[in-house]
Amino acid sequence: MSMIRYTVLAVLIFFVSCTVNRSSNTSYLPDVLRYGADPTGMSDSTKAFNDAIRNNRSSMVIIPQGVYRLDGSVDVKNHLYIESGTEIIRRRNSSNSTMPMFYLSTSYATLEGGNKSVRITSENDSPLGIVRVGHKDKSDRERNIFYCEVRNLTLTGNKQSSQAGNVGISLFNAQRKFETQTASYFHTINNLVIQFVQTGVHLEAFANANSLSNIVFNRAGNHPDHEAILVDGALENKIYDIFHHHSKDATTIRLTSYDGFGDRDSYAPMFNYIFGALAEQGGERAMCVDAESGRHNIIHINCNVYSGNRLFKDFGKNKNLMINKDAEVSSKQ
């Protein structure tokens, strides 16, 4: 009997010890409050966020539940985890910045929410994205950036804006003419709500080999020149499980050539694979796909809008494939 008692006691001690260790270990994860972040949203927490990241490059940094004001930009260089129910906001009355709230411009950087109750909101226009992944601009060509992740968030743009160029998330690759020393590849964008923007996701220049999935676009655009996803010269991206709704007269997928490097060359979108997309945004001028250029792209979309698709004249001759359901297709020169 005594042996049984000792055995039970040993098991209980082991269980309690493991439980204590698990709970105490989480207390060693650095959080932004230790660096002066304000969880009431009354003061700017930009410096505290950047200090926490800079001083804990090898650790996950936690943003505990609360409301945080960001007047500037945060450079994510590690794994930044935002607890469920948190709001991070750039307020119009305290900042006139139009730069991204979060940059992911270092390999393996991760911006993660506990779930989509995490809200990142900019009351100002964000032409480079509320979140930007990859190179910051076309002159940022000194490094390779691989395997960044953005997931489990709700991104909300300027509700008062009607300007094209107000972007939810952008991915930019400054690699030019396939110069391999400045690549930005293999990023994963997953499980987002993107709303109150004119472009939901902008895949720009050589944005290459990225995976985008499980994204709901809600009030992403209100004009045919606005779109949920802009494939702007990008190539070899996989985009799937997309739902675009409550975005009267907007376009779901737009393919255009990128000519932003300032030379005579333009770069058409190529080898992109888009499937499982649903266009149901409403409005008599809404389109599912507006393809101005491209080669070797495959698009599968369930098209439940009035205007269907608009494709450039040689869309099929350029080895593009459109798989539609209930869609009218018109050509443009």
Side-chain angles (χ1 to χ4, degrees):
M1 183 65 70
S2 61
M3 181 61 70
I4 295 174
R5 284 200 300 271
Y6 284 128
T7 302
V8 171
L9 181 61
V11 170
L12 287 173
I13 291 172
F14 177 77
F15 175 78
V16 171
S17 175
C18 290
T19 303
V20 170
N21 285 337
R22 281 199 300 269
S23 62
S24 62
N25 283 341
T26 61
S27 68
Y28 288 99
L29 287 174
D31 67 59
V32 295
L33 299 182
R34 301 181 193 180
Y35 293 84
D38 177 6
T40 71
M42 297 299 293
S43 60
D44 178 26
S45 291
T46 304
K47 184 178 184 301
F49 280 27
N50 281 316
D51 286 349
I53 292 167
R54 184 168 49 252
N55 288 295
N56 297 279
R57 288 288 298 271
S58 62
S59 302
M60 177 190 291
V61 173
I62 305 296
I63 301 178
Q65 189 176 89
V67 177
Y68 299 87
R69 197 183 95 202
L70 283 188
D71 293 349
S73 299
V74 174
D75 208 346
V76 181
K77 297 180 181 296
N78 54 0
H79 189 163
L80 188 60
Y81 180 83
I82 309 169
E83 291 188 346
S84 301
T86 296
E87 181 176 15
I88 301 173
I89 186 167
R90 174 178 286 158
R91 292 195 175 97
R92 184 179 299 105
N93 60 8
S94 60
S95 174
N96 61 5
S97 176
T98 60
M99 301 305 289
M101 294 175 67
F102 292 93
Y103 281 109
L104 283 75
S105 56
T106 302
S107 292
Y108 308 106
T110 297
L111 180 63
E112 179 183 12
N115 55 43
K116 285 183 283 192
S117 68
V118 173
R119 293 168 293 163
I120 299 177
T121 301
S122 177
E123 294 182 352
N124 298 335
D125 284 349
S126 302
L128 298 180
I130 299 170
V131 176
R132 188 166 178 85
V133 180
H135 298 120
K136 292 185 177 182
D137 56 44
K138 62 186 179 182
S139 65
D140 186 7
R141 301 174 60 202
E142 302 301 325
R143 52 189 163 167
N144 292 331
I145 305 167
F146 300 136
Y147 301 113
C148 294
E149 296 187 44
V150 180
R151 57 178 178 261
N152 305 339
L153 303 167
T154 293
L155 304 179
T156 302
N158 179 5
K159 296 180 181 180
Q160 298 182 10
S161 177
S162 60
Q163 300 299 313
N166 189 26
V167 179
I169 183 167
S170 64
L171 294 93
F172 183 74
N173 185 349
Q175 177 181 347
R176 185 176 175 186
K177 295 183 183 298
F178 304 99
E179 296 169 350
T180 57
Q181 70 270 25
T182 55
S184 177
Y185 296 163
F186 313 127
H187 307 306
T188 301
I189 313 299
N190 174 254
N191 201 35
L192 303 181
V193 175
I194 301 178
Q195 57 189 6
F196 294 102
V197 292
Q198 278 63 58
T199 297
V201 176
H202 188 180
L203 290 158
E204 187 177 4
F206 291 108
N208 183 215
N210 303 295
S211 175
L212 286 69
S213 64
N214 299 304
I215 304 177
V216 175
F217 297 95
N218 177 25
R219 294 177 175 82
N222 53 19
H223 186 277
D225 291 340
H226 304 159
E227 59 278 306
I229 298 176
L230 176 56
V231 184
D232 185 14
L235 62 156
E236 297 174 340
N237 297 286
K238 183 171 67 174
I239 303 168
Y240 59 100
D241 292 347
I242 302 302
F243 183 36
H244 188 200
H245 70 142
H246 291 307
S247 306
K248 183 179 179 181
D249 291 332
T251 299
T252 300
I253 307 290
R254 191 184 314 279
L255 277 68
T256 62
S257 290
Y258 182 77
D259 58 1
F261 285 129
D263 55 23
R264 293 179 297 175
D265 295 327
S266 63
Y267 306 95
M270 297 187 297
F271 298 104
N272 296 288
Y273 185 24
I274 303 169
F275 63 98
L278 174 58
E280 200 173 66
Q281 57 269 40
E284 292 187 357
R285 297 189 295 166
M287 285 185 288
C288 295
V289 176
D290 185 13
E292 299 177 6
S293 64
R295 299 191 298 274
H296 299 279
N297 299 288
I298 300 174
I299 304 172
H300 172 271
I301 188 165
N302 290 342
C303 191
N304 189 20
V305 300
Y306 184 82
S307 296
N309 303 308
R310 185 171 62 176
L311 311 178
F312 67 95
K313 183 178 179 181
D314 293 327
F315 183 85
K317 291 181 180 180
N318 280 273
K319 307 299 183 182
N320 298 294
L321 176 63
M322 174 72 71
I323 305 170
N324 295 277
K325 180 180 179 182
D326 301 328
E328 295 293 330
V329 179
S330 61
S331 296
K332 60 183 180 181
Q333 301 299 321

